[in-house]
Amino acid sequence: MLYLNKTFDIIVIGGGHAGCDSALAAAKLGMNVLVAVVRKDRIGWMPCNPSIGGPAKGHLTRETDALGGIQAVVTDKTSIHVRWLNTKKGPAVQALRAQCDKSLFATTYQNILDLEPQITVREGIVTDIIAENGRIESVRFEDGEKIDCHAVILATGTFLGGMIFRGDERIAAGRDGEAPATKLSESLRKLGLSLNRLKTGTVPRVHRDSIDFASIEIQPPNPDPYHNRFSFLDLPPNGLEQVPCYITHTTDATREIINRNLNRAALFSGDITGQGPRYCPSIEDKYKKFPDKIAHPVFLEPEALDGPFKDEIYLQGLSTSLPADVQDEYVRSVPGLENARIVRYGYAIEYDFVDPTTVTVYGASKLFPNLFLAGQILGTTGYEEAASLGLMTGINAVRYLNNAGPVVLRRDQAYIGVMTDDLATKGVHDPYRMLTGRAEWRLLLRFDDADRRLTPLGREIGLVDDGRWKIYQAREKSIAELTEFLFNTKARSEIILNENSGAPQTQTLAEWLKMPGVYLSDLVEKIDVPGKYSVNTLMTVEAEIKYEGYLKRQISEVKRLARAEFVKIPDNFDYTVIPSISKESREKLSAIRPRTLGQAARISGVKPSDIAVLDILLSKTK
């Protein structure tokens, strides 16, 4: 179908996780959206591990859901193995992680897009972004068709100049089996965007029937289906079979094989110039950096229950750029995989990305106000990072077209706020992965309370519909009721602690809950608690009572530092005329153009003394 006579409000280039959530957000907010993809059947695809979640990454998915995004819903509908991680640690780092059915995950995303009347999907490779008078006006496809628009969202993943490496093999591809968008990279450079290279990779997949599962450790899924929910919508169990994962480890033989073949790894041949992910390195990089370590964990994770991927097992931990014959050899050196048959070989992929410091904290290019970017094109890695950035750019592209101010989440408000601030302020040297350690206020940014932090904002923006809002209000009511009950109900020590000796102690259930070793799940079994509460509500109430003192301390610290976040810096502020700050600070402030004094203070190389000078000048300007 041709669209020569039609102008779209927004064109989204890319149908991965960033593209899907940005397109859906924009469409729900009333925009007419065109989604440009290489292949329709790869919308919502999971080219690496078909998993969502984990500490920090799962927090992003929950926050996206709380704002009205869709990734959590798709995950809940297609999960085949869900586990809670870090359950023996504090609530700040606890989170869900789900394995999903790869095929079903993609078709679920595709069906959601198909049902949205404001979205049109168009197959084809975009070759040019056309700008006039400092604004993006249209895009051109490989077949020559030019389509006009009012804004563009780039969500290209690894497709910009994508090149697959496997030993001596070199394959131009955006991902396995799909053509790259090489001409689009050239177009972006002509527009003046700053592009660099990054590298990521994927692992070998082996046939299920060739694995000796009896010789390796099993990891069963969480048995309670009502406990396994990313979305606050509390969807019913998806009815899919819940299957186990497994764990094994590399051996001294693995190390010997890889060290013997390091010269055949594309990663070390000099052909790959982009920096790889620091927190998810290839197996050859692990042995290069940690030559004395023998046992690296290998997680065996299913890809699907049915369809073409039902017999494929993902070998998490064995990402590689080594040639196929070496992959065969080292995989079979791992216990349980002695007779493994590889059905798809791993590879490294290098691709172009745009320097995120040339993009505002709300996702717009600093060169073109109606050009937005989300996901791996900004130097991130991971489905969760992509979807949350996509959601925010979808929101902010709409707000730009409606002449409304951008939505910018604070670092104390959401992990999304931490990520967008990190990208715009610090840039990236390797693919950015969200970690709990990146957040200063992670006790305030728990997995259980994302709706309390963000759903009212989602309602204000217009993405939270009446049904979701009623669920939020009901949960707020249940939290208040349970909290009041715990503070107003007293119990004796022999009931709570099962102690019959000594003088009995009586205090409120809230006071008991603050004691080490006392948990709310135990209290509700011993005390007749009125009403029935969800696991998520129990987690929220327990965290806010048990860690009340720590939470108050963090909130107090946030307030103390908040002033700098509210000191706005004018967009046209001229740093070059301030002689009393260092040359390095002037250059970095001029390049990044922070929105607030707080953001300016987080820029690497900007001295505290220079921030003090800037503070005085801004006060005088005001």
Side-chain angles (χ1 to χ4, degrees):
M1 182 182 293
L2 297 179
Y3 305 100
L4 295 175
N5 298 319
K6 183 171 184 177
T7 298
F8 286 87
D9 294 315
I10 297 172
I11 295 179
V12 177
I13 302 176
H17 301 259
C20 286
D21 263 274
S22 63
L24 285 164
K28 289 178 181 178
L29 293 174
M31 294 292 147
N32 195 7
V33 181
L34 176 72
V35 180
V37 296
V38 177
R39 289 170 51 178
K40 287 183 179 179
D41 65 343
R42 290 295 181 97
I43 288 174
W45 196 244
M46 304 175 99
C48 289
N49 191 355
S51 71
I52 295 291
K57 295 170 78 69
H59 289 64
L60 289 175
T61 299
R62 267 245 161 159
E63 291 174 354
T64 304
D65 179 75
L67 285 166
I70 201 67
Q71 186 181 72
V73 171
V74 177
T75 301
D76 288 345
K77 288 184 175 182
T78 62
S79 59
I80 57 176
H81 174 104
V82 185
R83 295 177 65 228
W84 277 96
L85 303 183
N86 292 336
T87 54
K88 295 181 179 179
K89 298 182 180 181
V93 296
Q94 294 177 13
L96 281 176
R97 184 178 185 274
Q99 285 293 126
C100 298
D101 184 301
K102 183 174 189 168
S103 301
L104 187 57
F105 189 96
T107 57
T108 301
Y109 251 129
Q110 292 161 23
N111 291 337
I112 291 172
L113 261 66
D114 286 343
L115 292 173
E116 177 50 62
Q118 293 290 101
I119 291 179
T120 300
V121 177
R122 201 268 199 201
E123 282 190 336
I125 296 176
V126 174
T127 58
D128 289 288
I129 306 290
I130 301 166
E132 293 182 15
N133 301 317
R135 289 174 51 83
I136 305 302
E137 299 289 343
S138 58
V139 306
R140 181 178 286 112
F141 286 81
E142 194 172 41
D143 60 9
E145 183 179 15
K146 184 167 74 83
I147 303 178
D148 295 334
C149 60
H150 300 303
V152 166
I153 296 174
L154 289 172
T156 50
T158 59
F159 277 74
L160 289 181
M163 180 67 69
I164 285 177
F165 297 82
R166 187 187 294 117
D168 294 332
E169 287 185 88
R170 305 291 181 268
I171 305 168
R175 57 191 177 204
D176 193 19
E178 295 180 74
T182 303
K183 290 183 179 179
L184 182 56
S185 286
E186 297 171 2
S187 176
L188 296 178
R189 287 190 177 92
K190 289 178 182 177
L191 289 174
L193 273 68
S194 175
L195 271 65
N196 295 300
R197 300 284 278 177
L198 285 175
K199 169 259 175 190
T200 188
T202 189
V203 309
R205 277 78 157 180
V206 299
H207 197 285
R208 179 188 302 274
D209 293 344
S210 67
I211 300 171
D212 179 12
F213 289 107
S215 66
I216 55 179
E217 180 184 346
I218 189 171
Q219 292 184 313
N222 190 310
D224 180 5
Y226 289 97
H227 198 177
N228 304 342
R229 292 290 170 271
F230 276 87
S231 177
F232 288 99
L233 294 178
D234 286 330
L235 299 174
N238 58 33
L240 299 175
E241 179 188 359
Q242 299 299 295
V243 297
C245 293
Y246 298 83
I247 183 172
T248 182
H249 292 82
T250 59
T251 64
D252 193 41
T254 316
R255 180 177 62 174
E256 189 277 326
I257 293 166
I258 289 175
N259 285 338
R260 175 165 33 93
N261 290 280
L262 280 178
N263 63 315
R264 300 182 64 192
L267 181 62
F268 301 120
S269 68
D271 290 345
I272 296 178
T273 59
Q275 182 65 42
R278 177 181 312 202
Y279 302 102
C280 189
S282 66
I283 187 63
E284 57 265 32
D285 201 22
K286 290 177 184 177
Y287 280 120
K288 182 79 170 177
K289 291 178 178 176
F290 307 103
D292 297 328
K293 185 170 182 179
I294 296 174
H296 292 281
V298 180
F299 299 91
L300 281 66
E301 300 171 331
E303 293 221 321
L305 295 178
D306 204 355
F309 304 100
K310 68 176 182 178
D311 292 321
E312 291 192 16
I313 300 296
Y314 188 96
L315 302 182
Q316 173 73 3
L318 293 183
S319 174
T320 188
S321 67
L322 285 160
D325 62 301
V326 180
Q327 292 186 44
D328 282 322
E329 189 178 3
Y330 82 66
V331 165
R332 290 169 187 156
S333 71
V334 177
L337 303 178
E338 292 88 351
N339 300 304
R341 185 169 74 257
I342 296 179
V343 293
R344 280 193 293 148
Y345 290 94
Y347 60 83
I349 183 167
E350 191 178 43
Y351 55 94
D352 293 332
F353 78 104
V354 174
D355 180 357
T357 64
T358 66
V359 176
T360 67
V361 72
Y362 51 90
S365 166
K366 293 176 182 177
L367 294 177
F368 303 97
N370 64 335
L371 176 63
F372 293 80
L373 301 91
Q376 284 181 286
I377 192 174
L378 284 181
T380 64
T381 181
Y383 311 132
E384 304 87 349
E385 290 86 347
S388 52
L389 287 171
L391 178 73
M392 298 310 297
T393 53
I395 291 169
N396 284 320
V398 172
R399 293 180 72 85
Y400 170 80
L401 295 181
N402 288 337
N403 296 314
V407 173
V408 178
L409 300 179
R410 304 185 310 275
R411 295 182 71 92
D412 64 288
Q413 188 178 14
Y415 272 94
I416 298 175
V418 173
M419 176 172 58
T420 54
D421 183 73
D422 279 352
L423 292 172
T425 305
K426 302 175 183 178
V428 298
H429 301 288
D430 51 83
Y432 182 97
R433 175 176 178 164
M434 180 49 68
L435 306 166
T436 55
R438 296 189 189 274
E440 305 93 320
W441 321 111
R442 52 185 176 270
L443 192 55
L444 299 177
L445 308 180
R446 303 186 310 277
F447 187 85
D448 64 88
D449 73 340
D451 60 334
R452 308 193 82 193
R453 292 183 274 117
L454 298 173
T455 296
L457 175 61
R459 181 70 167 176
E460 181 183 337
I461 292 169
L463 286 178
V464 172
D465 59 21
D466 290 344
R468 183 182 287 271
W469 186 243
K470 288 179 180 178
I471 291 171
Y472 167 78
Q473 289 179 311
R475 195 170 104 83
E476 283 294 295
K477 182 180 179 182
S478 67
I479 289 171
E481 290 175 348
L482 181 56
T483 302
E484 182 181 10
F485 175 80
L486 295 173
F487 274 100
N488 292 329
T489 304
K490 293 185 177 182
R492 293 160 64 91
S493 57
E494 60 261 34
I495 297 176
I496 304 301
L497 305 178
N498 298 322
E499 294 178 353
N500 296 317
S501 59
Q505 181 182 359
T506 300
Q507 57 184 3
T508 67
L509 296 176
E511 290 171 319
W512 283 118
L513 189 55
K514 292 181 181 182
M515 295 182 63
V518 178
Y519 301 99
L520 187 51
S521 57
D522 298 329
L523 292 183
V524 296
E525 291 180 0
K526 297 173 180 179
I527 304 295
D528 185 17
V529 178
K532 186 175 181 180
Y533 299 98
S534 69
V535 171
N536 206 66
T537 294
L538 294 176
M539 290 177 65
T540 299
V541 172
E542 179 173 73
E544 296 194 350
I545 292 177
K546 186 175 282 290
Y547 298 94
E548 182 181 20
Y550 295 100
L551 288 166
K552 286 181 178 179
R553 191 181 307 167
Q554 287 206 351
I555 291 170
S556 176
E557 185 68 7
V558 167
K559 289 180 178 178
R560 185 181 70 81
L561 298 174
R563 177 189 168 277
E565 300 300 332
F566 287 98
V567 177
K568 303 291 185 185
I569 302 177
D571 292 338
N572 60 351
F573 193 87
D574 189 356
Y575 299 98
T576 62
V577 299
I578 310 175
S580 51
I581 67 174
S582 69
K583 180 181 178 182
E584 182 183 9
S585 291
R586 287 199 300 271
E587 289 175 350
K588 291 193 172 182
L589 289 166
S590 297
I592 294 175
R593 305 213 65 81
R595 299 180 72 246
T596 68
L597 188 66
Q599 186 186 356
R602 290 188 290 275
I603 298 174
S604 176
V606 176
K607 300 176 182 177
S609 58
D610 294 339
I611 293 297
V613 172
L614 185 58
D615 190 10
I616 293 171
L617 290 175
L618 289 170
S619 299
K620 290 181 178 179
T621 302
K622 187 182 295 185

